[in-house]
Amino acid sequence: MTDDQVFVGLGLIVVLAVGSQLLASRLRVPALLVLLPVGFTAGALTDDVHPQRLLGDAFSPLVSLAVAVILYDAGLGLDLRRLTGHSRRVVTRLLWLGTLLTLVSAALFAVPVLEMSLPAAVMLAAILVVSGPTVVGPLLDFVRPTERLRRVLVWEGSLIDPVGGILGALVFHGVLADTRPGTGSALGAFCASAAVGLAGGAAGAGALWLLLRLLRPGEVLATSLQLAAVIGVAAGCDALRDDTGLISAVVMGMALAHLPGLDVPARRPFFDTLVSLIIGLLFVSISATVTPASLRHVVLPSLALVALLVLVTRPLVAHLATARTDVPRGERWFIGWMAPRGIVAAATASTFSATLVEHGVVGAGRILPATFVVIVATVTLYGLTAFPVARRLGVLRPARSRPLLVGGAPWVVDLACALRAAGLDVLMWAGADRERDRIEAAGLQLAPGELLASATGTGAELEGITGVLLLTGEDDFNALASLTLRESVEGSVHRLAPPSTSHGVVAPYTGGEALFGGGLSGPELARRYAAGARVVARESGGPVPDGHRLLFVVRPDGLLLPATDARTPSPDPGDTVVLLTPPTDTPVSVQRYGLGHERRGRG
């Protein structure tokens, strides 16, 4: 290829990758649903995007290192300490039952239907074990199922990526070992490959932990250090034993997630951006290598495999995993109807299949196109049917707002009670034990864990949140949290306005709409509350009474509209208004405020 063709090809891959992800975000569909067809079409129309022509022999090692970065990132999220209570048993069963039944059923089915040898079929089945949060998350955001159902599916998707990555790598080395003559040499080769990956991952995690602990670099340099470590260790392991770098990458991520004394940031903007870009580039490149000719004899058998996985294996796994639990029947069936394949499946298929073809494994050439068909079919099927299925099963979450209130001052608890009295499902979070005790004493739901980690990690702890209200007495905390949460929480993020005389480090200089306006900062609200003002919820029936301040309007459908320094919502008949009474007001029972009655927040 000429230099001009290389420039055009590389530029086209980057533009198609980012453009597809942008389009998918606007359509609120999984990025794979756009990336794979775009890459396949580009590969069929022009040879300029064909990675083998652009990169030659370097393509396969680059894919392997890119997958190692993705699996390291997935391993960092594999912290089982954050999975507790009822969900832990269901998710644990889904992982081991899903892995076992998918591996057995897909392998036995692929041998006769896809005309594969048993080793190639087992490799394909191990690849198809994984799902992934990057596919499940957007689907659940669109469907909006019940809170517990979303929690289970998000945790399963987050945990199956590293588990499936390790399984795929081990099966791959088992298949390679089987191609060598002699049982003893095959077993020794498998053990050697596993040992190299595990030892490399453990050594890399230890070295990285020590460097991060001793040097304590900033966020950008720490991210660069992690990236260099995972690529360096994965490349070194691959140089010693083919494709052992994937094992080492997952082990590094899992080890760092559990090692003590290391504060891995909840948000890693540069690393997250890099992983997102890698995913886009990988899928455009990989799908460009899947030619129409390679799919000619694979499509129908692969669709039959999809039917087996979707109609038999997954429902069976779901019902066995939820047996003897209090999961309702509708949720059990929906769990059985949500297992799309995604990023790790396609990436590992591309990494492993080429090597197995070189070693003469019968049917290995069909692994990548079959995986491609399964990914497209499952993502399309679940994407088109998940919402009507959830509606038919009655597992949709009500369309009402579910705000997260951050803070535990008495007036904040009073506000939460008022919003609850208006019919909203309110979730609260506070850092101080005294404030958390006050929240629990009021009978309000308290979010577990650390706020930023919960909001920016797997998303399993704060599922269903439609907006965040930052109401702590620390203006700088509110400002910093608003900047952080705005990029990771679905819905709006509002904070209290800082006092006009504030000399905070951050608060006076951050943008965004502040709540309430008119001088109602945190200290002013606390002062008025101490003087006898209260937060009340009343049915709309006229103008806001003199001396009262409008804080929120709740529409009949549960939509929460805050008053901000930029705009004040207009209440309509049938709405519920949340007001701050003057200090001398003495609230009583519930009626229309036009008749002088109200609904107390704590009542």
Side-chain angles (χ1 to χ4, degrees):
M1 298 183 70
T2 66
D3 290 346
D4 291 343
Q5 289 176 314
V6 172
F7 281 129
V8 170
L10 293 176
L12 192 57
I13 289 175
V14 174
V15 170
L16 290 176
V18 177
S20 298
Q21 291 174 320
L22 181 62
L23 177 61
S25 69
R26 299 296 298 173
L27 298 176
R28 297 185 64 190
V29 299
L32 289 185
L33 203 56
V34 181
L35 284 167
L36 292 181
V38 165
F40 177 76
T41 303
L45 294 178
T46 175
D47 290 336
D48 289 345
V49 298
H50 198 287
Q52 294 287 3
R53 295 192 62 196
L54 285 171
L55 302 173
D57 293 338
F59 174 63
S60 182
L62 288 175
V63 169
S64 181
L65 294 178
V67 176
V69 173
I70 295 174
L71 291 180
Y72 169 78
D73 186 59
L76 283 176
L78 190 60
D79 188 353
L80 294 178
R81 295 170 297 186
R82 296 167 58 193
L83 181 60
T84 59
H86 165 85
S87 301
R88 186 184 185 99
R89 179 167 57 170
V90 176
V91 172
T92 302
R93 289 180 179 179
L94 284 173
L95 290 177
W96 73 266
L97 283 173
T99 299
L100 178 61
L101 293 180
T102 301
L103 188 64
V104 173
S105 62
L108 294 179
F109 188 84
V111 171
V113 176
L114 282 164
E115 299 179 355
M116 288 180 166
S117 63
L118 183 60
V122 173
M123 185 73 259
L124 174 64
I127 290 170
L128 296 180
V129 162
V130 299
S131 174
T134 54
V135 183
V136 174
L139 287 178
L140 296 180
D141 290 341
F142 175 73
V143 175
R144 297 180 65 84
T146 57
E147 177 182 338
R148 177 171 59 179
L149 190 53
R150 178 184 171 87
R151 180 187 302 117
V152 168
L153 292 171
V154 167
W155 268 113
E156 182 198 13
S158 300
L159 299 179
I160 195 63
D161 262 6
V163 172
I166 289 180
L167 175 66
L170 292 176
V171 170
F172 169 75
H173 289 289
V175 172
L176 280 186
D178 191 53
T179 62
R180 297 181 174 89
T183 303
S185 62
L187 180 61
F190 171 78
C191 293
S193 297
V196 168
L198 293 174
L208 183 57
W209 176 83
L210 190 62
L211 289 173
L212 291 174
R213 285 271 292 174
L214 294 178
L215 301 179
R216 297 195 177 276
E219 181 180 299
V220 174
L221 190 56
T223 300
S224 301
L225 181 59
Q226 292 178 70
L227 183 64
V230 68
I231 290 179
V233 170
C237 291
D238 281 338
L240 291 175
R241 302 282 299 186
D242 288 342
D243 293 301
T244 55
L246 300 184
I247 300 176
S248 66
V250 180
V251 171
M252 283 184 67
M254 292 171 57
L256 282 178
H258 290 83
L259 284 174
L262 185 63
D263 184 19
V264 178
R267 290 183 69 251
R268 303 180 304 277
F270 174 72
F271 203 88
D272 294 340
T273 301
L274 182 63
V275 170
S276 176
L277 182 60
I278 288 174
I279 288 170
L281 297 177
L282 273 181
F283 279 98
V284 171
S285 302
I286 291 171
S287 53
T289 65
V290 180
T291 63
S294 67
L295 294 174
R296 186 171 303 148
H297 302 294
V298 176
V299 172
L300 292 180
S302 299
L303 291 177
L305 177 60
V306 170
L308 171 73
L309 296 175
V310 169
L311 301 177
V312 179
T313 303
R314 179 61 181 186
L316 179 60
V317 169
H319 281 76
L320 290 176
T322 55
R324 297 183 180 180
T325 67
D326 60 351
V327 177
R329 181 180 179 183
E331 293 187 4
R332 296 186 185 194
W333 280 106
F334 189 78
I335 292 173
W337 193 254
M338 184 54 61
R341 271 57 182 181
I343 289 165
V344 175
T348 51
S350 175
T351 301
F352 296 147
S353 60
T355 304
L356 295 181
V357 169
E358 292 176 1
H359 283 76
V361 177
V362 179
R366 296 192 168 196
I367 291 177
L368 180 58
T371 303
F372 180 87
V373 173
V374 171
I375 291 173
V376 173
T378 55
V379 173
T380 303
L381 176 64
Y382 292 129
L384 294 176
T385 63
F387 183 79
V389 168
R391 182 172 55 188
R392 181 67 180 270
L393 294 174
V395 296
L396 292 176
R397 187 170 64 247
R400 307 181 70 82
S401 295
R402 187 177 189 237
L404 169 67
L405 276 64
V406 179
W411 74 267
V412 178
V413 176
D414 211 31
L415 172 61
C417 292
L419 294 175
R420 183 179 61 180
L424 300 185
D425 180 17
V426 179
L427 183 65
M428 296 195 70
W429 184 90
D433 291 339
R434 174 172 50 85
E435 294 181 341
R436 297 175 72 88
D437 293 340
R438 183 182 297 128
I439 292 170
E440 292 179 334
L444 296 162
Q445 185 179 356
L446 188 63
E450 301 296 331
L451 174 64
L452 299 185
S454 296
T456 59
T458 66
E461 290 88 348
L462 299 184
E463 64 278 346
I465 293 301
T466 58
V468 179
L469 306 175
L470 296 162
L471 309 173
T472 75
E474 296 291 337
D475 294 319
D476 283 336
F477 172 85
N478 293 340
L480 287 171
S482 69
L483 292 174
T484 300
L485 297 175
R486 203 173 294 156
E487 300 178 9
S488 55
V489 173
E490 181 183 3
S492 60
V493 178
H494 292 92
R495 64 182 179 91
L496 289 174
S500 57
T501 58
S502 173
H503 296 285
V505 176
V506 179
Y509 308 107
T510 54
E513 292 182 326
L515 286 169
F516 311 144
L520 282 186
S521 61
E524 175 62 17
L525 284 164
R527 185 194 66 78
R528 293 193 187 192
Y529 193 86
R534 292 295 180 264
V535 181
V536 297
R538 296 173 170 176
E539 298 177 28
S540 175
V544 175
D546 292 340
H548 291 62
R549 291 291 300 272
L550 178 65
L551 304 181
F552 296 93
V553 172
V554 182
R555 302 297 189 197
D557 62 357
L559 178 64
L560 179 66
L561 301 176
T564 68
D565 56 0
R567 59 181 180 272
T568 301
S570 300
D572 298 324
D575 292 344
T576 300
V577 292
V578 178
L579 306 172
L580 178 68
T581 68
T584 57
D585 187 65
T586 304
V588 287
S589 60
V590 180
Q591 285 186 17
R592 295 170 66 86
Y593 68 68
L595 300 177
H597 297 283
E598 62 192 299
R599 180 158 47 204
R600 277 285 310 276
R602 289 184 181 272

